[in-house]
Amino acid sequence: MVLEITKMPYKIYNFPSLASTQDKAKEFVKKGLSNIVISADRQAKGHGRFKRKWHSAKGGLYASIILNPENTENIQYLTFAAAIAVVKSIKKIANLDAAIKWPNDVHYNKRKLCGILTEGIFGAKNHVIVGIGLNVNQDKFPKSIKNNSTSLKIIKHEDFNIKRILNGIIREFFILYNKYYNENKLKKITRLWEKYCDTIGKNVAVITREKKLHGRVVGVDENCSLLLKLDGGRTKKVIEGDIHVRY
Ligand code: BTN
């Protein structure tokens, strides 16, 4: 059953269960549709960056936003915009000060609350799918992730209305998308992102596909790459990887 839950310039379609909202979104892209959000109450095959499994039991928020932007050269800014939208919405709805961790996480007290997966689909018409997985009402997580995951319910000891949170995130995201991304005001997105990011200035280990780097995060560049001042003194750009804060 598909349920339309909004009356806004974009539509949100909710499914009780899907393999992955990201994969369903790709089916919609094939039909040439955009400004649509696909959400599901649970996913059987939710996935994240580097094809990692995304635990998707009922109680979480799983959504993919389908966009058809003119500019597809800077889609990493859409990951930043989604992270900002998540942090702002959970502040409003759960009164929680979560923080962004480069490149695509929102966390609280060193535990992951939300992951974002942005994928470009390039063809005659270019599309971008921004997938958001937010831990809302889960009480527990599988052993493999339980030490580094948390949910709004675990933190706040109450249940939250997932649809309300989703509406908040999507509304906030489209404000940033229309006002800044589509107007090419990308620095505005970076400034906001930096405001909510707590990894800048921290000593970290970054695990990339090739190696492990140690240094201090000094910021991000115009491509949203991480700028890491290595322990040796040189500044290195990191395009992708996982960060572990050292102290
Ligand atoms: C990550 O941290 O690596 C990103 C995780 C993204 C998970 C979301 S849940 C909704 C959408 N559907 C998916 O299969 N993945 C994304």
Side-chain angles (χ1 to χ4, degrees), residues 183-241:
E183 296 296 321
N184 213 24
K185 294 180 180 161
L186 302 177
K187 277 214 174 95
K188 298 261 190 199
I189 298 180
T190 309
R191 294 289 92 86
L192 273 174
W193 184 87
E194 285 170 342
K195 179 175 158 195
Y196 295 116
C197 172
D198 71 350
T199 14
I200 297 172
K202 295 261 170 61
N203 286 303
V204 299
V206 184
I207 299 163
T208 70
R209 276 183 212 265
E210 301 86 37
K211 53 184 154 191
K212 193 170 181 180
L213 301 162
H214 295 276
R216 189 167 54 84
V217 177
V218 289
V220 286
D221 73 359
E222 68 286 357
N223 297 315
C224 302
S225 297
L226 188 81
L227 297 173
L228 188 69
K229 194 162 169 44
L230 298 175
D231 289 350
R234 208 159 50 89
T235 299
K236 171 126 182 109
K237 271 186 202 180
V238 183
I239 298 170
E240 63 174 15

Side-chain angles (χ1 to χ4, degrees), residues 5 8 13 15-16 35 53 67 69 72 89 93 107 113 119-120 142 149 159 187 192 202 219 225 237 240-241:
I5 57 174
M8 290 187 249
Y13 292 102
F15 295 79
N35 286 352
K53 182 176 158 48
L67 305 165
T72 45
S89 303
I93 294 168
H107 69 158
L113 255 178
E119 297 182 284
S149 305
D159 277 302
K187 277 214 174 95
L192 273 174
K202 295 261 170 61
S225 297
K237 271 186 202 180
E240 63 174 15

Side-chain angles (χ1 to χ4, degrees), residues 138-181:
Q138 296 97 323
D139 296 300
K140 52 182 192 301
F141 292 96
K143 219 172 168 188
S144 56
I145 56 167
K146 82 174 209 262
N147 291 335
N148 49 22
S149 305
T150 192
S151 69
L152 296 181
K153 183 172 182 179
I154 291 171
I155 300 164
K156 288 286 187 177
H157 309 287
E158 59 177 294
D159 277 302
F160 290 89
N161 182 325
I162 296 174
K163 303 277 180 282
R164 187 166 163 240
I165 298 179
L166 178 62
N167 277 319
I169 293 172
I170 300 302
R171 195 175 300 117
E172 203 64 67
F173 175 84
F174 271 96
I175 292 172
L176 297 167
Y177 178 65
N178 291 324
K179 205 166 139 192
Y180 299 144
Y181 188 84

Side-chain angles (χ1 to χ4, degrees), residues 38 54 77 88 96 102 135 141 146 170 215 235-236:
I38 309 293
W54 183 259
Y77 281 90
K88 287 179 93 170
L96 188 78
W102 183 91
N135 299 328
F141 292 96
K146 82 174 209 262
I170 300 302
T235 299
K236 171 126 182 109

